[in-house]
Amino acid sequence: MSEESMVAVAEIGAAQDDFELLHAKSPVFYPVYERKSQLKQQTHYCPGCGHGIVHKLVAEAIEDLSLQDRTILVSPVGCAVFAYYYFDVGNVQVAHGRAPAAATGLARACPGRVVISYQGDGDLAAIGTAEIVHAANRGEKICVIFVNNAIYGMTGGQMAPTTLVGQKSTTSPWGRRPANEGYPIRMCELLATLEAPAYIERVALCDNKNIMKARRAIRKALEIQRDGGGFAFVEVLSPCPTIWGLDAVAARNWVAEKMVPAFPLNVFRDRKPGPLPGGGPEPRSVAEVLEIEARTADDSSKIQHASHSFQTLTVKVAGSGGQGALLLGQLLTEMGLREGLEVSWLPSYGPEMRSGSAHCHVCLSKERIGSPLISHPDVLIAMNEISLRKFSPQVAPHGLILYNHEQLPEHFAPPEARIVCIPASEIADKLGSTKAANMVLLGALLEETGCLGADTALRVLDEKVKKIELRNTNREALEAGRQFVDKEVWTGAETQPDGFAG
Amino acid sequence: MRQLCKGNVAVIKGAILAGCRAYYGYPITPASEIAESAALLLPQVGGTFLQAESEVAAINMVYGASAAGVRVMSGSSGPGLSLMQEGISYLAGAELPCVIVDVMRGGPGLGNIAPEQGDYFAMVKGGGHGNYRNIVVAPASVQELAELTMLAFELADKYRNPAVVLCDGFVGQMVEPVDLEEREAVVPEKPWAVEGTAATRKNLVTSIYLESDELEGHQRQMEAKYALAAREEPRHELYQAEDAEVLLVGYGIVSRVLRSAVEKARQEGLRAGLFRPITLWPFPGRALVAAAARAKRVLVVELSNGQMLEDVRLALDGRVPVEFYSRVGGNVPTTEEVHTRFASRVQAAA
Ligand SMILES: Cc1ncc(C[n+]2csc(CCOP(=O)(O)OP(=O)(O)O)c2C)c(N)n1
Ligand code: SF4
């Protein structure tokens, strides 16, 4: 007998000495595996498979720590997919690689519970890499048991992210070549670069001494959950005799001789778990948060039904980003609402805004609004030349265009609609804030058309603008717009191709 | 009190009123305000918001939370929904309720962020693997975004199945008045949930049925509940349809344009009407047949290459000629465009 095999025999002897201790069935396992369709007395794992040992260690830890009624086991896709056959705890089976995400949802829905994410190496370190890294990075209060057997067991022996350099598999028939498949991934080391995890350890099922170490590690990871929780990660180097083509003993030796050098055993993180820095809002009632006001008799006083000359009025406001075109549209919409109208506001959104132009559609109507999208607005408020050129051809023939400039640009063919030029930006500038140009235009619109009440505008402004100085500037700008139209624009003309700046 | 609200924000207001206290999502235009308002509002009412690392993770977080029995949701747009399809299949297979909002944008691929209705097949017909259905509701206004989100939670729980709120970028981005009332959310008992307690210890949430007969049995049971939903849940809205010779059919933002087109047509003495499906699955096929009883032609308008069109054709089964008008790429037809399209045909026929 070679020295090597003598050691192996000695180890088996040691295992047999511990037979009672190691193989008494924990009550955390179902006595009979009713969820299996056949062979209900035995597991589906191959003889000598590491999963069987890890299951046992997990079950015994749950038992010893009295966690059976508090535990939810998330089983992966891989050979451990049927973990729920065996564990008499709450069970959730999930998609390939997604166990840490599902465990996140579970742990956050059930604070104070013990959530175990049980995963293989394909599941955790290939398809589910993002999920495990981010669950670890968030310090999710879960216990991850990572069974690394350097191969895809369930699907019959394809290469895993942890397959060793040179190791043959059905999808690395020449052995893993770093030039083609890269190197085996060391998940503990990778996760140990993150701040949030509380506990990270790698253990190996290569001999009894190490199995006892694995037992302690798993226990510790569960204790962390019992005591309030933190991200705890135990990687278990684990034999897969079937796929490796070895007997149970040789497979254990292979773990020791081949896997351990590639995946050094170590405690990579052991930090006293505690809450991570946090802080959040004070809880408030749903009504407060959703700004649902109780219906009261004076609701009606908030709505001031004005008489409106139009059935439906459509307004397009367009300008460059920062000019407040969208805000102007929103104010009009809010005002319409206050005056008892049906209203809608539809903005341009996304990159269009980023590239510097913004427009919105406002509909004010006495009836339910059909399309909020306006093809032929009654009013166009053009805050810059591009908007004027782009949108004025769309304006309804009877419509009105308010243009933010003292006169129309050169080579501009005016449409049928009436055009009023207002140097709104200049006026606003003089009042101390170019940004108030939109308010000047709002004032002009109200004065010119009488579509909505100026007092409504003031009320909405006072409510929406919290800063006093800003509120005052806006009020002044609104008034200046009204004055400008009142005094300086000759309102008799049908069309003013030259603009009318007095 | 009516308050102005953006469509995407109304989703979360409706969700909170429906008792939803968990949101897992990933940002994407034009749906981001859903996640943003969830982030702002949910923690204030004791709920959970988490920005996931991807939509793949988000939908699996939803899976976990739903398995624990809480009302949970996610929201995204086409590219994100593509990533969620695996998870949605698992949710359906494990019979887990949840609500998913798809604020549709232009596709395929990155497409653009403007409104489209190209996800109809993916959401209404499936998209993920296996035999399952999504319950799909299609709001057309901001008020409906809130209300149908609430309904989606009820239906999801009633049928233990994912429910999808399918709208387009315009409905999500639009601001309109909403009138919300506080109400007691009635969340049904979920004796199947896995909560990590003694009472729920024997529970198992899974979509695996290893034996063929078992899986067939599971699917037959799912079919039975889908058949029940198909009988009980179709919803639609009619406008001027009673005597309509031309029946316009559209959902979401398109239905609003069609409503305006019907008004315009009626002013000109053309007998046009509107049929608007509110549920896309189950599709209100019977109601459509009834509404089209007097119609000489049906015009389906979609922001897609003809996806709901198939369901309309299937329902009408050749009884009435069905025509189709579409804009895609982010273009939305104007009232005039639709009007011209059918008015000329009616006049030609007259
Ligand atoms: C999305 C998806 N892709 C592929 C599979 C097929 N599949 C099932 S298990 C598995 C590999 C499992 O290997 P590992 O996680 O290492 O677990 P082991 O079986 O070795 O314990 C694969 C690829 C699947 N179920 N789902
Ligand atoms: S294939 Fe490997 S991992 Fe799977 S049960 Fe058999 S020995 Fe265990």
Side-chain angles (χ1 to χ4, degrees), chain A residues 33-325:
Chain A
Y33 308 132
E34 293 294 350
R35 285 175 177 152
K36 286 187 81 191
S37 56
Q38 47 194 335
L39 301 176
K40 293 172 192 271
Q41 303 288 344
Q42 64 189 70
T43 74
H44 71 288
Y45 295 112
C46 309
C49 172
H51 280 301
I53 302 171
V54 178
H55 275 30
K56 189 168 153 53
L57 299 179
V58 171
E60 284 169 2
I62 291 172
E63 179 191 348
D64 294 349
L65 301 173
S66 308
L67 296 176
Q68 188 169 14
D69 282 337
R70 280 175 58 185
T71 298
I72 301 170
L73 180 73
V74 181
S75 49
V77 173
C79 279
V81 66
F82 300 120
Y84 61 81
Y85 284 170
Y86 315 116
F87 284 93
D88 180 4
V89 297
N91 278 289
V92 178
Q93 202 294 313
V94 302
H96 196 21
R98 318 298 175 213
T104 297
L106 279 159
R108 294 197 178 216
C110 309
R113 306 290 141 190
V114 174
V115 181
I116 303 174
S117 177
Y118 187 111
Q119 302 180 259
D121 45 56
D123 195 80
L124 183 140
I127 197 167
T129 321
E131 284 79 4
I132 191 62
V133 168
H134 287 274
N137 193 45
R138 291 189 301 266
E140 291 298 338
K141 294 172 178 170
I142 61 175
C143 162
V144 181
I145 306 291
F146 171 38
V147 177
N148 176 359
N149 56 15
I151 201 80
Y152 282 15
M154 173 164 245
T155 40
Q158 297 81 11
M159 193 193 75
T162 48
T163 292
L164 302 179
V165 171
Q167 185 184 339
K168 285 185 180 170
S169 75
T170 59
T171 51
S172 56
W174 298 282
R176 182 177 194 155
R177 299 158 299 165
N180 199 49
E181 290 97 10
Y183 290 92
I185 251 184
R186 297 191 186 98
M187 285 310 294
C188 285
E189 287 83 340
L190 202 143
L191 296 181
T193 64
L194 305 174
E195 207 133 321
Y199 177 58
I200 302 173
E201 179 166 1
R202 183 183 289 124
V203 294
L205 304 181
C206 50
D207 53 45
N208 263 22
K209 201 172 101 223
N210 278 291
I211 290 174
M212 291 319 274
K213 273 193 180 170
R215 184 171 185 269
R216 280 194 293 277
I218 288 170
R219 246 184 116 90
K220 179 152 188 175
L222 284 171
E223 274 166 0
I224 290 171
Q225 308 315 312
R226 180 196 62 190
D227 301 337
F231 185 83
F233 184 90
V234 180
E235 174 173 347
V236 186
L237 304 183
S238 174
C240 172
T242 305
I243 304 283
W244 294 352
L246 301 173
D247 62 35
V249 175
R252 274 193 184 193
N253 289 341
W254 201 85
V255 171
E257 287 158 20
K258 304 286 188 196
M259 288 191 77
V260 172
F263 299 103
L265 306 184
N266 205 350
V267 179
F268 296 89
R269 174 73 53 82
D270 190 359
R271 171 168 73 62
K272 203 174 156 41
L276 304 177
E282 286 298 312
R284 294 193 296 151
S285 76
V286 167
E288 273 179 302
V289 172
L290 301 190
E291 293 167 359
I292 297 176
E293 293 164 36
R295 280 161 213 260
T296 57
D298 71 89
D299 272 1
S300 47
S301 71
K302 294 199 178 131
I303 305 265
Q304 302 215 324
H305 288 273
S307 65
H308 299 102
S309 54
F310 53 84
Q311 194 66 20
T312 297
L313 183 77
T314 56
V315 185
K316 186 161 193 160
V317 192
S320 49
Q323 277 192 312

Side-chain angles (χ1 to χ4, degrees), chain A residues 369-415:
Chain A
I369 294 170
S371 174
L373 186 73
I374 304 163
S375 33
H376 299 298
D378 300 315
V379 178
L380 168 69
I381 302 178
M383 300 189 71
N384 61 13
E385 187 183 330
I386 301 172
S387 306
L388 177 75
R389 290 188 185 276
K390 189 169 170 190
F391 297 122
S392 59
Q394 300 172 358
V395 179
H398 63 269
L400 169 72
I401 299 172
L402 297 183
Y403 177 47
N404 174 22
H405 204 272
E406 63 189 19
Q407 61 187 43
L408 290 175
E410 281 176 24
H411 312 299
F412 175 74

Side-chain angles (χ1 to χ4, degrees), chain A residues 27 30 35 37-38 68-73 76-77 81-82 84-85 87-96 98 100-106 108-110 113 127 130-132 134-135 138 140 281-287 289-295 299 302-303 330 333-335 337-338 340-347 349-352 354 367-376, chain B residues 1-4 6 12-14 16-17 21 24 29-30 40-46 48-54 56-58 60-65 67-68 70 86 90 94 104-105 113-115 168-171 173-177 179-182 194-211 214 237 253 256-257 259-260 263 276 332-336:
Chain A
Y30 284 112
R35 285 175 177 152
S37 56
Q38 47 194 335
Q68 188 169 14
D69 282 337
R70 280 175 58 185
T71 298
I72 301 170
L73 180 73
V77 173
V81 66
F82 300 120
Y84 61 81
Y85 284 170
F87 284 93
D88 180 4
V89 297
N91 278 289
V92 178
Q93 202 294 313
V94 302
H96 196 21
R98 318 298 175 213
T104 297
L106 279 159
R108 294 197 178 216
C110 309
R113 306 290 141 190
I127 197 167
E131 284 79 4
I132 191 62
H134 287 274
R138 291 189 301 266
E140 291 298 338
E282 286 298 312
R284 294 193 296 151
S285 76
V286 167
V289 172
L290 301 190
E291 293 167 359
I292 297 176
E293 293 164 36
R295 280 161 213 260
D299 272 1
K302 294 199 178 131
I303 305 265
Q330 271 178 317
T333 314
E334 184 75 44
M335 287 168 63
L337 183 72
R338 299 300 174 94
L341 294 167
E342 293 298 328
V343 296
S344 72
W345 176 84
L346 182 68
Y349 58 85
E352 202 181 338
R354 249 158 267 147
E367 295 162 355
R368 174 167 158 181
I369 294 170
S371 174
L373 186 73
I374 304 163
S375 33
H376 299 298
Chain B
M1 253 305 273
R2 282 169 25 121
Q3 45 169 295
L4 285 183
K6 185 172 237 189
I12 292 303
K13 294 195 170 187
I16 288 175
L17 289 174
R21 290 295 179 273
Y24 297 95
T29 309
L40 182 68
L41 302 182
L42 271 175
Q44 297 189 55
V45 294
T48 302
F49 167 82
L50 184 60
Q51 179 169 326
E53 58 272 26
S54 70
V56 175
N60 284 283
M61 291 169 182
V62 167
Y63 183 101
V70 304
E86 179 203 41
Y90 273 78
M104 290 182 281
R105 58 188 239 171
I113 57 162
D168 55 80
F170 271 171
V171 176
Q173 292 294 323
M174 203 157 76
V175 169
E176 284 185 329
D179 196 355
L180 298 173
E181 244 185 305
E182 211 192 341
V194 177
E195 296 167 3
T197 58
T200 63
R201 199 176 93 193
K202 303 290 178 199
N203 288 351
L204 164 66
V205 168
T206 184
S207 60
I208 306 178
Y209 294 84
L210 204 57
E211 301 297 318
E214 259 188 298
E237 187 193 25
I253 193 72
R256 304 273 300 252
V257 177
R259 192 184 164 95
S260 294
E263 274 163 14
R276 170 172 85 97
V332 178
T334 61
T335 308
E336 292 72 19

Side-chain angles (χ1 to χ4, degrees), chain B residues 97-174:
Chain B
C98 71
V99 170
I100 301 150
V101 185
D102 179 2
V103 186
M104 290 182 281
R105 58 188 239 171
L110 210 44
N112 65 25
I113 57 162
E116 228 188 46
Q117 296 179 323
D119 297 356
Y120 185 96
F121 282 160
M123 292 299 112
V124 177
K125 301 294 177 184
H129 56 287
N131 289 315
Y132 76 94
R133 286 290 191 179
N134 292 323
I135 295 164
V136 185
V137 295
S141 67
V142 176
Q143 178 74 24
E144 269 196 353
L145 257 179
E147 284 175 5
L148 292 185
T149 300
M150 293 188 236
L151 175 68
F153 275 104
E154 280 170 33
L155 295 179
D157 276 345
K158 180 171 172 189
Y159 293 97
R160 285 188 61 184
N161 200 75
V164 175
V165 178
L166 188 65
C167 70
D168 55 80
F170 271 171
V171 176
Q173 292 294 323
M174 203 157 76

